[in-house]
Amino acid sequence: MTDSILLSTKKILGIDADYTAFDIDIITHINSAFSTLTELGIGPVNGFMILDELTTWDQFLQYDARMNAVKTYVYLRVRLLFDPPMTSYLITSLDEQRKELEWRLNVIREGDEYPLDELRPPVVEPLAFNGGL
Amino acid sequence: MIRTYTELSRLNSFEDRFKYLVLRGEIGAATFGFDRYINQQFYVSAQWKHIRHHVIARDNGCDLGVQGFDIYHRLVIHHMNPMTVEDISHGESRIIDPEYLITTTHRTHNAIHFGNEKLLPQALRDRKRGDTKLW
C-alpha cells in the first residue's frame, strides 16, 4: 500500500495514480486540510504541506499510530470540497464524520504534553506594590 | 438466521442483497404495537443519530450499499435482524452496531419487511425507436 499522501488520497477518491489532471486541485484541498490540522495542534508545529506525490504520511504523522484518523479526515475534507456527493443525506453524514474526527483528534492532542516550551506564553511575575514604603 | 454486513457486502448485485435481507413479514402483524413509544424514543437518541451518519457514510448513501442506487428521498437505516422491545430496554449493543445495519429507502425497506419485490427500484429500460408515441 502506498504511503504517499497524494496517491493514497487519489486512490480513496477513485482516481488512478496515473491520471494527473486534477492533482493541483487535490493538492490544494489536502493542504487546506493540513492547515486546519495545524490549527488543532496536529502535526508539525510550523505547519505542513505537500507539493507532489513524494510526501508521505509518516512525514506528517511522525510514526504516531494514534493519529491514523488523520488519513480519513483528509479524505473527507478533500471529498467534500473536490467531489461533493449528489445527495444531501451523504453530504450531511460525511460532514458529521469529519466533525467527529476533528473532535477526536483534538482529544488526543489535548491529552499530550505541549511539545515546545518556547511557544508557551512567558510567565509574568506579578508586580508587588508596597504602597511606596 | 443472523444477517450481517460482512456477509451482505460479499453480494454484489442489488437483487442478491435484497434476497439476503428479505423478511417476508405479514401486513398488519404487530411489531412494537403499543410499545412503539419505546422505539420512537430510541430513534431520537444521540447514539442512534450518531451511528446513522456512520452507516450512511459507509454505504456511500446508496440503497443497500450498492453503487448507482443513490438515495434522494426518504432514506431509512434498516436493522437487518428485526429489533425488539427487549433489545432496546436491555440496551443490546447490536441495535447500534453497524455490522447489523444497512442504508436503504422507505420503499425498499417496505419490500424487505413484506417481501414485495414490486416495490424495488426498476432498472432503466433501453430506448427504442417510436417508444414515445402515445397512441
Side-chain angles (χ1 to χ4, degrees):
Chain A
M1 181 189 161
T2 177
D3 196 40
S4 160
I5 294 172
L6 177 61
L7 295 185
S8 60
T9 306
K10 281 172 71 175
K11 161 76 176 62
I12 204 166
L13 285 169
I15 301 172
D16 281 344
D18 299 335
Y19 190 71
T20 57
F22 295 111
D23 278 11
I24 291 175
D25 309 54
I26 296 169
I27 288 170
T28 303
H29 296 318
I30 288 173
N31 287 335
S32 164
F34 282 136
S35 173
T36 305
L37 288 169
T38 300
E39 286 187 5
L40 290 173
I42 311 290
V45 174
N46 295 320
F48 189 85
M49 66 184 291
I50 69 168
L51 296 172
D52 50 35
E53 64 188 55
L54 299 177
T55 319
T56 64
W57 285 110
D58 286 336
Q59 288 173 268
F60 180 78
L61 299 174
Q62 304 290 312
Y63 301 95
D64 186 346
R66 297 172 308 157
M67 295 292 183
N68 267 315
V70 162
K71 298 176 184 178
T72 308
Y73 174 77
V74 169
Y75 156 68
L76 289 170
R77 280 288 300 265
V78 175
R79 171 87 195 272
L80 286 165
L81 291 165
F82 172 72
D83 181 24
M86 297 284 281
T87 70
S88 59
Y89 293 117
L90 190 52
I91 291 174
T92 306
S93 292
L94 291 179
D95 203 39
E96 288 296 321
Q97 297 292 296
R98 176 194 65 77
K99 287 178 192 168
E100 181 187 331
L101 287 180
E102 219 166 71
W103 183 83
R104 289 186 184 280
L105 287 165
N106 195 38
V107 167
I108 295 172
R109 175 65 193 85
E110 295 204 339
D112 285 346
E113 284 288 317
Y114 208 69
L116 295 176
D117 286 341
E118 60 264 32
L119 289 183
R120 284 184 176 153
V123 178
V124 179
E125 293 293 332
L127 293 172
F129 294 100
N130 59 7
L133 295 173
Chain B
M1 174 187 179
I2 299 294
R3 298 170 181 83
T4 64
Y5 178 76
T6 305
E7 286 183 356
L8 182 78
S9 61
R10 293 191 190 115
L11 306 171
N12 293 325
S13 76
F14 187 88
E15 290 73 23
D16 287 345
R17 291 192 177 198
F18 172 75
K19 285 174 188 165
Y20 177 76
L21 294 170
V22 71
L23 296 167
R24 302 195 188 284
E26 291 177 17
I27 294 174
T31 49
F32 274 79
F34 288 110
D35 291 324
R36 185 155 295 278
Y37 73 95
I38 298 174
N39 150 326
Q40 296 305 299
Q41 283 174 348
F42 169 72
Y43 284 125
V44 295
S45 67
Q47 293 97 324
W48 174 252
K49 288 178 181 174
H50 177 80
I51 207 66
R52 186 177 180 279
H53 285 306
H54 177 87
V55 174
I56 294 170
R58 180 198 66 189
D59 297 336
N60 221 9
C62 294
D63 200 357
L64 304 187
V66 180
Q67 294 301 308
F69 287 81
D70 300 67
I71 300 173
Y72 297 93
H73 184 58
R74 300 189 77 178
L75 185 147
V76 173
I77 299 298
H78 170 61
H79 283 95
M80 296 187 208
N81 307 293
M83 188 172 63
T84 64
V85 175
E86 289 71 32
D87 289 337
I88 299 176
S89 56
H90 295 167
E92 287 287 343
S93 61
R94 71 180 179 86
I95 62 176
I96 52 168
D97 187 340
E99 178 66 2
Y100 306 108
L101 300 171
I102 188 71
T103 307
T104 187
T105 63
H106 182 68
R107 280 176 71 88
T108 306
H109 192 239
N110 283 347
I112 289 169
H113 277 277
F114 303 119
N116 185 354
E117 297 180 22
K118 290 177 185 172
L119 294 173
L120 295 179
Q122 302 296 313
L124 296 174
R125 280 184 284 183
D126 290 334
R127 303 300 303 270
K128 293 176 187 169
R129 183 183 294 274
D131 66 357
T132 55
K133 286 182 181 173
L134 299 178
W135 50 79

